[in-house]
């Protein structure tokens, strides 16, 4: 006999155990697109305690839709080792142009991250950071449906040693920091430069270069890195996102 209340209790107990583990972590990633998932995977694989907060119900960010809903992505040679590690299959199209099914890519990145130990908390939006003496020490969160409904409900908070802003074009965590302590970002002006128009080749190189600590305790990865430093967009080529996730994980593993 299956009991509805036992099903309910099982879900509540397991969820709260998971949530409790997110209260104090080595790294908290904001955004479950390709860069955030790859960063989480490598950090968790290295034994670090990692939580990833995603505003939406679904994980994967801008990867699902490939290019204009043609659900294929392009990945260049340099990033194929990450597809191999994540067990994403790919086909050679031409020299340095490989393609993967975007649905398979998201599914594999998500599965590898969760199974490596990343706690993925979906339907949660980050609305602020915690700061102590000019360093970010945590995140302030609320349910996305609360945010969407515009309800006046106070948030909760988590502590972490490092935050990774992997929120894509929106650069949401960096924007909060810019608003609270203007002119202090590690960019030429101390402010967000803003994303530039499409230039795939330049953008892919810059995404990796721009992946760095932009404020004490706050790293940027993926599209957020380019948007913060004024790099161009690249369209539906994803090697830069994967390599950026790998780079930020490597830097944090060295510091943790
Ligand atoms: C919780 C949040 C919040 C918040 C946003 O956009 P993404 O896929 O990010 P990346 O950088 O890993 O990948 C970028 C890529 O998908 C892309 O857009 C490309 C290559 N564009 C090229 C072009 O020319 O357009 O994922 C970011 C995720 C999303 O799922 C958001 O829902 C989530 O972050 N998010 N989660 N709290 N405040 N803000």
């Amino acid at each position: 006999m299956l009991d509805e209340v036992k099903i309910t209790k099982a879900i509540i107990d397991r969820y709260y155990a998971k949530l409790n583990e997110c209260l104090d972590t080595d790294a908290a990633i904001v955004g479950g697109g390709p860069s955030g998932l790859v960063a989480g995977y490598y950090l968790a694989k290295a034994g670090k305690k990692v939580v990833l907060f995603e505003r939406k119900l679904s994980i994967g960010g801008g990867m699902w839709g490939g290019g204009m809903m043609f659900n294929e992505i392009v990945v260049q040679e340099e990033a194929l080792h990450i597809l191999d590690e994540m067990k994403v299959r790919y086909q050679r199209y031409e020299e340095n142009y490989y393609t993967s099914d975007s649905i398979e890519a998201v599914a594999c990145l998500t599965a590898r991250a969760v199974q490596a130990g990343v706690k993925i908390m979906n339907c949660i939006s980050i609305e602020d950071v915690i700061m102590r003496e000019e360093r970010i020490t945590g995140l302030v969160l609320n349910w996305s449906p609360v945010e969407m409904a515009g309800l006046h409900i106070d948030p909760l908070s988590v502590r972490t040693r490092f935050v990774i802003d992997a929120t894509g074009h929106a650069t949401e965590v960096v924007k909060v920091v810019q608003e609270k302590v203007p002119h202090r970002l590690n960019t030429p002006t101390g402010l967000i430069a803003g994303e530039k128009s499409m230039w795939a080749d330049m953008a892919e190189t810059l995404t990796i270069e721009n992946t760095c600590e932009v404020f004490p305790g706050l790293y940027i990865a993926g599209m957020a890195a380019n948007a913060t430093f004024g790099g161009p967009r690249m369209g539906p080529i994803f090697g830069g996102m994967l390599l950026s996730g790998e780079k930020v994980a490597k830097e944090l593993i060295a510091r943790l």
Side-chain angles (χ1 to χ4, degrees):
M1 284 284 279
L2 289 169
D3 174 37
E4 295 81 357
V5 175
K6 200 162 276 180
I7 294 169
T8 304
K9 195 163 167 3
I11 289 174
I12 292 173
D13 286 348
R14 291 289 191 251
Y15 186 80
Y16 278 94
K18 201 154 59 177
L19 192 58
N20 254 318
E21 287 209 26
C22 301
L23 299 187
D24 201 342
T25 55
D26 292 320
I29 301 167
V30 188
S35 65
L37 287 169
V38 169
Y41 167 81
Y42 283 112
L43 281 160
K45 191 180 171 211
K48 308 303 171 198
K49 202 173 167 198
V50 190
V51 59
L52 184 157
F53 295 106
E54 168 54 52
R55 167 179 285 148
K56 293 188 181 150
L57 181 57
S58 65
I59 305 303
M63 207 183 215
W64 291 111
M68 217 177 90
M69 292 201 310
F70 294 9
N71 61 3
E72 288 283 323
I73 54 166
V74 171
V75 174
Q76 56 277 53
E77 190 122 31
E78 207 188 339
L80 292 184
H81 66 281
I82 301 177
L83 294 184
D84 288 333
E85 174 86 12
M86 301 290 180
K87 301 188 173 61
V88 179
R89 295 171 301 171
Y90 51 84
Q91 296 179 62
R92 185 180 184 279
Y93 183 73
E94 266 183 29
E95 196 186 341
N96 207 24
Y97 293 80
Y98 291 78
T99 60
S100 288
D101 179 295
S102 66
I103 310 298
E104 176 176 341
V106 173
C108 288
L109 295 189
T110 308
R112 296 293 93 74
V114 175
Q115 288 172 350
V118 180
K119 297 276 177 290
I120 297 189
M121 309 304 277
N122 57 342
C123 297
I124 292 182
S125 284
I126 299 311
E127 60 171 59
D128 203 346
V129 296
I130 306 178
M131 276 200 205
R132 289 289 181 278
E133 291 150 14
E134 299 280 307
R135 189 189 194 285
I136 295 193
T137 58
L139 289 171
V140 177
L141 38 122
N142 216 326
W143 299 117
S144 305
V146 165
E147 178 189 66
M148 287 161 76
L151 301 177
H152 185 170
I153 298 177
D154 273 355
L156 292 175
S157 315
V158 295
R159 183 177 302 120
T160 188
R161 294 175 72 187
F162 291 100
V163 170
I164 302 174
D165 183 340
T167 62
H169 298 272
T171 61
E172 293 213 6
V173 184
V174 184
K175 269 188 191 141
V176 166
V177 175
Q178 171 171 274
E179 208 177 285
K180 302 285 163 90
V181 284
H183 298 281
R184 302 277 180 75
L185 300 176
N186 177 26
T187 61
T189 60
L191 296 169
I192 296 170
E195 182 184 301
K196 300 294 183 288
S197 292
M198 197 177 288
W199 183 355
D201 194 51
M202 175 70 85
E204 286 294 275
T205 308
L206 286 177
T207 305
I208 300 147
E209 262 179 55
N210 292 334
T211 299
C212 66
E213 189 175 29
V214 72
F215 187 83
L218 173 63
Y219 277 76
I220 39 176
M223 204 61 227
N226 262 7
T228 300
F229 276 91
R233 62 190 301 188
M234 67 294 291
I237 180 157
F238 280 82
M241 300 300 132
L242 306 174
L243 291 163
S244 167
E246 180 189 46
K247 178 180 173 186
V248 75
K250 267 192 193 152
E251 291 201 7
L252 286 188
I253 290 163
R255 289 186 67 181
L256 278 162

